[in-house]
Amino acid sequence: MQGIEEVKSVLATPKNILITSHRNPDGDAIGSSLAMARWLENKGHRVMVAFPSEYPATYQWMPGINGVEIFDVDSSALDDFSQHIEVSVILDYNSLSRIDKMSKYIENDRLYTILIDHHLYPDPIGDFILSDTTASSTCELVYRFIEGFDQKPLGDTDIAACLYTGILTDTGSFQYSTSPALFRTVATLQELGIDTSLIHDRIFNTLNEKNLRLLGHCFVNRMEVLDEYKTGIIFLNKHDYQVYDIQRGDTEGIVNYLLKLENVKLAIFIRQQPTIIKISFRSKGDFSVEEIAKNYFNGGGHRNASGGFTKSSLSATLDQIKTILPRYKEQLNKSIL
Ligand code: 5GP
Ligand code: MN
């Protein structure tokens, strides 16, 4: 692994290390951050993990999660720790815009920066960069990093549980982005004694009644299927947020249901949040949603899973999407599943 010797020399003595991941952290962002934190702490470093915004409650069981700082909630511990940071670890994002104001803590030439990520078009940030856009997840890459660094298999079950979480969630429970190498990694994680069924249950089978009713509402009242464009759209407005008491994480995964429709290749999920409209895109096969997210909605991500936002109104956003879709009509109709 190129540059790993330099990382080894930096980490040869105890350091103050800040680990950051992106806004609205998902299983991969959280899993990779907590795994890295535990691994660095085991080596005697002083570590803080910080996310710009809160994480979904489904990850509350994860080892080490209670020590995470949330910038939006309270930045005081971060303000203090930032005086002493020597190493910055950037996980599951590759552009400082993904952490908004929190970038002030790590935009500092004095810091040794390690970036590990699998998103497309990485910005050239980091003294050590492990960026592989073909990897399933940042957790898969963190495993590769740890193995390359230690030159022996991982030996910690908590780290294994964290890494498995990110792999599980970023592959849609092993539906996509899998590879023989990934399954070998997963085999090693399972050999460490993690309970894969329990992890699956904790993440995917913890809905409350309200969540399931919201799902019903989405399908019955807020879903549009545009056969001509092989596209499904679900939107939620401000009123829905109140009626269904939608909290962070409650809308997680809703976009994927649209892909259950045989004829849908493009899934779009639009949420009217207090100050912005947030949009999630998913696709099947070779149709890339990354381009739409990047070109029209200030976003990005991966070929089959991207996100973005706009400051327009909800109705203007729906209209905009309907003007964009004809440009992709041919591609959507010919793309292979
Ligand atoms: P989600 O739709 O689950 O929020 O995000 C799907 C993917 O798109 C994730 O990999 C996420 O990192 C990326 N993504 C979501 N929102 C944004 C955004 O506003 N900007 C960029 N660059 N990527 C995003
Ligand atoms: Mn990821």
Side-chain angles (χ1 to χ4, degrees):
M1 205 177 295
Q2 211 190 343
I4 196 79
E5 292 308 319
E6 189 180 77
V7 182
K8 281 186 188 173
S9 73
V10 171
L11 298 180
T13 51
K15 292 284 185 304
N16 292 320
I17 303 176
L18 178 65
I19 297 176
T20 53
S21 195
H22 59 79
R23 179 164 281 282
N24 302 324
D26 55 11
D28 193 31
I30 302 164
S32 57
S33 299
L34 296 179
M36 192 59 136
R38 175 71 52 119
W39 179 76
L40 287 166
E41 279 163 1
N42 288 349
K43 293 197 176 307
H45 301 287
R46 213 174 137 230
V47 185
M48 181 176 280
V49 175
F51 303 138
S53 62
E54 286 172 275
Y55 53 83
T58 40
Y59 298 107
Q60 191 55 52
W61 61 272
M62 291 185 69
I65 194 106
N66 289 325
V68 169
E69 299 296 331
I70 309 294
F71 178 77
D72 279 359
V73 174
D74 180 3
S75 70
S76 53
L78 254 170
D79 293 335
D80 290 344
F81 191 66
S82 66
Q83 312 295 318
H84 313 286
I85 305 170
E86 297 162 289
V87 176
S88 156
V89 183
I90 293 176
L91 296 176
D92 203 38
Y93 71 102
N94 58 29
S95 156
L96 291 181
S97 65
R98 300 290 323 276
I99 58 165
D100 311 323
K101 289 186 201 138
M102 236 173 68
S103 60
K104 70 179 177 196
Y105 297 118
I106 59 172
E107 268 182 312
N108 183 338
D109 292 340
R110 205 173 40 76
L111 303 180
Y112 186 81
T113 300
I114 297 171
L115 180 145
I116 303 179
D117 181 53
H118 68 133
H119 290 85
L120 295 167
Y121 311 118
D123 283 350
I125 34 178
D127 300 292
F128 172 86
I129 298 177
L130 176 53
S131 163
D132 180 353
T133 61
T134 69
S136 66
S137 52
T138 299
C139 280
E140 181 183 0
L141 294 175
V142 167
Y143 179 86
R144 209 187 285 171
F145 172 82
I146 291 176
E147 221 187 9
F149 189 105
D150 287 339
Q151 305 206 311
K152 60 173 198 254
L154 185 68
D156 181 310
T157 308
D158 282 346
I159 295 179
C162 292
L163 295 179
Y164 183 79
T165 297
I167 293 170
L168 180 71
T169 53
D170 259 26
T171 59
S173 303
F174 302 102
Q175 288 179 81
Y176 38 78
S177 311
T178 61
S179 65
L182 177 71
F183 284 117
R184 277 186 214 108
T185 297
V186 170
T188 312
L189 298 179
Q190 197 167 30
E191 276 163 0
L192 285 165
I194 57 170
D195 186 336
T196 56
S197 307
L198 182 65
I199 292 176
H200 188 282
D201 256 2
R202 281 173 163 163
I203 297 170
F204 298 112
N205 299 336
T206 54
L207 292 188
N208 49 41
E209 184 183 335
K210 173 188 90 175
N211 296 134
L212 212 53
R213 291 197 187 281
L214 170 64
L215 212 49
H217 172 64
C218 287
F219 300 149
V220 176
N221 306 310
R222 295 285 181 261
M223 182 174 81
E224 234 183 298
V225 179
L226 307 168
D227 286 320
E228 199 186 348
Y229 304 116
K230 297 201 184 303
T231 297
I233 301 175
I234 291 175
F235 66 90
L236 288 172
N237 60 31
K238 272 187 190 154
H239 186 64
D240 297 325
Y241 270 75
Q242 276 174 3
V243 172
Y244 289 90
D245 181 30
I246 300 174
Q247 304 294 329
R248 191 171 296 279
D250 285 347
T251 57
E252 203 74 26
I254 292 180
V255 64
N256 296 311
Y257 284 94
L258 290 164
L259 294 181
K260 287 190 179 287
L261 292 167
E262 188 179 8
N263 280 322
V264 164
K265 285 184 184 168
L266 169 59
I268 306 176
F269 180 40
I270 306 167
R271 283 95 73 202
Q272 186 177 34
Q273 294 183 347
T275 55
I276 55 163
I277 304 271
K278 185 77 196 153
I279 313 177
S280 290
F281 299 94
R282 299 290 187 274
S283 66
K284 282 183 202 156
D286 59 5
F287 184 79
S288 172
V289 284
E290 202 270 341
E291 186 187 312
I292 300 180
K294 188 173 66 183
N295 291 352
Y296 302 100
F297 296 105
N298 315 294
H302 313 276
R303 184 183 68 179
N304 297 118
S306 285
F309 69 91
T310 164
K311 297 204 164 159
S312 315
S313 69
L314 180 59
S315 63
T317 307
L318 283 160
D319 288 346
Q320 191 189 357
I321 283 173
K322 287 174 191 169
T323 41
I324 293 167
L325 284 176
R327 296 171 204 164
Y328 294 94
K329 183 175 176 180
E330 203 184 325
Q331 232 177 307
L332 282 162
N333 279 284
K334 76 166 198 271
S335 82
I336 310 152
L337 278 190

